[in-house]
C-alpha cells in the first residue's frame, strides 16, 4: 500500500470518519448515512404499526426522535453496519463497462472455484466486527487468519 487514507475528525461525525478510514477512501458522507438512518426509521415505524396505528405504543413511538441519528452527527450502530456492503450488481455492471471502454478485457469464469484466502478473509471481515461504543467498529485481529494478521 503506497499511502494510508486518514480522514481527519470533523465535528461529531465519528461514524462517517470511522467507515471512510476503514475502507480507505471518501465513501460515506453525512447525507448518505442520514439516508440509511431514515430508511431504518421507516422500517421501525412500519414494524411498530403492525401492533396497530391507534395503539398507545405506536403513538408514543411517533413522538420520539430518531434513534438512528441526531443533529450532532451521531449515527447508530445499525446505520454503521448497514453502510458497508459489497458493490451492487448495477455498480459492478457499470464498472465493468467502464473498464471495457478503457480497453481492458473482462472475462467471466463460471463454475465452482477452489476456496482461497481472500474468500476466507472476506467471510471473517463480515463476521469479525464488533461494536466499540456507539460510533466505531473494530476488527479483531485475533479473528483474522494468521497470514492476514501478520501483514
Amino acid at each position: 500500500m503506497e499511502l494510508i487514507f486518514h480522514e481527519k475528525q470533523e465535528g461529531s461525525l465519528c461514524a462517517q470518519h470511522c467507515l471512510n478510514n476503514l475502507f480507505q477512501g471518501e465513501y460515506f458522507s453525512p447525507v448518505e448515512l442520514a439516508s440509511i438512518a431514515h430508511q431504518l426509521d421507516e422500517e421501525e415505524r412500519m414494524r411498530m404499526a403492525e401492533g396497530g396505528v391507534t395503539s398507545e405504543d405506536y403513538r408514543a413511538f411517533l413522538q420520539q426522535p430518531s434513534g438512528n441519528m441526531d443533529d450532532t452527527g451521531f449515527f447508530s450502530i445499525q446505520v454503521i453496519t448497514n453502510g458497508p456492503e459489497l458493490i451492487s450488481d448495477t455498480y459492478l455492471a457499470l464498472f465493468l463497462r467502464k473498464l471495457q471502454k478503457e480497453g481492458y478485457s473482462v472475462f467471466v469464469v463460471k463454475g465452482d472455484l477452489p476456496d482461497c484466502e481472500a474468500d476466507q478473509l472476506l467471510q471473517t471481515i463480515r463476521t469479525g466486527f464488533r461494536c466499540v461504543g456507539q460510533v466505531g467498529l473494530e476488527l479483531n485481529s485475533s479473528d483474522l487468519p494468521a497470514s492476514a494478521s501478520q501483514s
Side-chain angles (χ1 to χ4, degrees):
M1 178 185 304
E2 293 179 24
L3 298 172
I4 295 176
F5 176 86
H6 175 73
E7 187 172 71
K8 187 177 178 195
Q9 180 72 31
E10 185 178 299
S12 296
L13 297 170
C14 303
Q16 173 194 342
H17 302 305
C18 174
L19 289 169
N20 287 339
N21 290 334
L22 177 68
F23 290 106
Q24 292 294 290
E26 294 181 30
Y27 297 108
F28 297 93
S29 72
V31 172
E32 291 165 325
L33 294 175
S35 176
I36 293 168
H38 288 300
Q39 204 172 12
L40 290 169
D41 288 343
E42 182 59 21
E43 289 173 17
E44 290 170 7
R45 187 196 62 74
M46 289 177 10
R47 293 246 192 271
M48 288 297 293
E50 290 173 2
V53 295
T54 58
S55 73
E56 188 73 29
D57 287 340
Y58 182 72
R59 286 190 211 156
F61 174 79
L62 291 179
Q63 299 303 314
Q64 298 174 6
S66 171
N68 292 304
M69 64 173 278
D70 66 23
D71 292 339
T72 68
F74 163 80
F75 292 99
S76 70
I77 191 66
Q78 290 79 11
V79 172
I80 297 169
T81 57
N82 275 282
E85 61 182 76
L86 296 176
I87 61 174
S88 68
D89 291 342
T90 303
Y91 180 80
L92 178 60
L94 292 170
F95 182 70
L96 292 175
R97 234 179 271 131
K98 178 183 174 215
L99 290 175
Q100 285 178 317
K101 284 182 181 178
E102 292 175 359
Y104 291 93
S105 298
V106 177
F107 300 94
V108 176
V109 178
K110 292 184 178 184
D112 294 326
L113 301 174
D115 285 337
C116 70
E117 188 175 333
D119 291 330
Q120 295 167 0
L121 182 59
L122 178 61
Q123 187 60 33
T124 301
I125 289 172
R126 284 183 177 163
T127 59
F129 287 108
R130 70 173 186 198
C131 175
V132 178
Q134 292 183 329
V135 294
L137 295 176
E138 181 178 278
L139 181 60
N140 303 319
S141 60
S142 62
D143 292 338
L144 295 174
S147 58
S149 59
Q150 295 172 352
S151 42

